[in-house]
Amino acid sequence: MVNETTIGKLNEMRLTAMAESFRQQLQDPSYTALNFEERFGLMVDTEWARRKNNKLTRLIRKADLYFNQACIEDIEYHADRKLDKAQIARLSTCTYIQEKHNIIILGASGAGKPYLSCAFGIAACRNFYTVKYIRLPDLLNELAVARGEGIYKKVMKQYKQVSLLILDEWLLVPLGNSEARDLLEIVEARHKKGSTIFSSQFSPAGWHGKIGEDTLADAILDRIVHDSYTILIDGQDSMRKRKGIQE
């Protein structure tokens, strides 16, 4: 009766994993060989692990990753892709996030940029950083709608505060003046305060023309190019072709 009351109290305090561990110990005679400190430590470890796993699951869900199962361990290092495995391993430790640096991922359409971006996103989640993935066209559209609905500052704040922002399809099409200003607002707010992954088909040399207005372009590029690690994905065959239906 006392044990059931204790289990009930643990569940009431939302220590459900500890309650389950305690019940398991009561039902398994082998635990009697352990002293109090060891048995209590096992219950605490179980609760701690459950909470960490739940937090990781929440972070991945909120990240809205295009590939939510992507991981650094599954990156394919085909010779023609010319990926630097050591560089990717270093970046996967997320030191660049601690130091508030960025990553620029370059490659042709189908090179596998979104997967690599999401793999870095999962690595960040595993280190319990907040992550948000979004296509740049979708972000700019969301900001335009938010401005019309009077919630621009609220939406912008969400993108400013996330630890790692992943911007896919970066500068795929030329920007309008209002879009360029929105982009500068985000880049300026995140400069030295958060990390961003820019995934693009075009090298930084071509970004200036995509942004349009010279002053805005200079300001945006100055806050990105000099503070980013660059990864170039090469390849004779696209990853879509490699993963497609084989005749």
Side-chain angles (χ1 to χ4, degrees):
M1 185 64 180
V2 173
N3 290 334
E4 287 300 323
T5 300
T6 299
I7 290 172
K9 289 178 178 177
L10 288 171
N11 284 320
E12 187 176 337
M13 291 186 291
R14 298 183 180 178
L15 299 173
T16 55
M18 186 177 285
E20 292 171 11
S21 180
F22 183 42
R23 186 182 294 279
Q24 181 182 1
Q25 290 188 20
L26 293 173
Q27 296 173 347
D28 188 343
S30 65
Y31 283 101
T32 58
L34 304 178
N35 60 38
F36 172 79
E37 289 82 1
E38 290 171 329
R39 294 180 65 172
F40 185 70
L42 289 172
M43 290 191 293
V44 172
D45 287 345
T46 300
E47 183 67 36
W48 182 87
R50 173 78 62 83
R51 292 189 176 217
K52 285 291 186 180
N53 288 335
N54 289 344
K55 183 177 181 180
L56 175 59
T57 299
R58 288 195 301 271
L59 286 170
I60 294 175
R61 183 177 67 249
K62 290 181 178 180
D64 290 328
L65 297 169
Y66 189 80
F67 294 105
N68 61 12
Q69 298 295 324
C71 62
I72 297 296
E73 296 82 1
D74 288 343
I75 293 172
E76 298 184 16
Y77 294 93
H78 301 287
D80 63 314
R81 301 189 81 195
K82 299 180 181 178
L83 290 173
D84 186 336
K85 191 171 185 178
Q87 179 194 32
I88 291 175
R90 286 194 301 271
L91 292 173
S92 71
T93 65
C94 298
T95 302
Y96 74 98
I97 298 179
Q98 296 175 23
E99 298 172 346
K100 308 299 188 292
H101 295 316
N102 309 310
I103 299 175
I104 297 172
I105 300 178
L106 304 174
S109 176
K113 299 185 299 297
Y115 186 91
L116 182 56
S117 298
C118 291
F120 283 128
I122 292 291
C125 289
R126 288 175 176 175
N127 283 275
F128 301 103
Y129 289 108
T130 54
V131 179
K132 175 64 177 178
Y133 168 96
I134 191 169
R135 296 169 58 252
L136 181 59
D138 291 338
L139 171 60
L140 295 175
N141 182 64
E142 183 178 345
L143 291 174
V145 172
R147 183 182 287 106
E149 295 180 347
I151 56 172
Y152 179 82
K153 289 185 177 180
K154 179 181 178 181
V155 173
M156 183 65 78
K157 183 178 180 180
Q158 296 173 355
Y159 288 102
K160 290 178 179 179
Q161 292 183 337
V162 69
S163 299
L164 175 62
L165 177 61
I166 302 174
L167 295 177
D168 199 4
E169 296 186 10
W170 171 256
L171 298 178
L172 186 62
V173 297
L175 303 182
N177 189 261
S178 177
E179 293 174 326
R181 290 183 181 279
D182 286 342
L183 209 54
L184 176 59
E185 176 75 14
I186 290 178
V187 171
E188 167 63 24
R190 296 186 58 77
H191 184 56
K192 300 296 185 181
K193 297 175 183 176
S195 297
T196 307
I197 294 178
F198 304 91
S199 177
S200 179
Q201 294 185 36
F202 307 98
S203 69
W207 293 0
H208 201 284
K210 294 283 187 179
I211 295 170
E213 206 281 324
D214 287 345
T215 304
L216 291 175
D218 289 342
I220 292 171
L221 267 65
D222 185 60
R223 288 161 175 77
I224 297 174
V225 175
H226 306 298
D227 204 27
S228 300
Y229 297 96
T230 300
I231 298 174
L232 175 62
I233 307 178
D234 210 332
Q236 298 176 358
D237 293 326
S238 73
M239 291 305 292
R240 293 192 185 97
K241 181 177 180 181
R242 295 182 199 272
K243 299 293 185 180
I245 297 174
Q246 302 298 317
E247 298 273 342

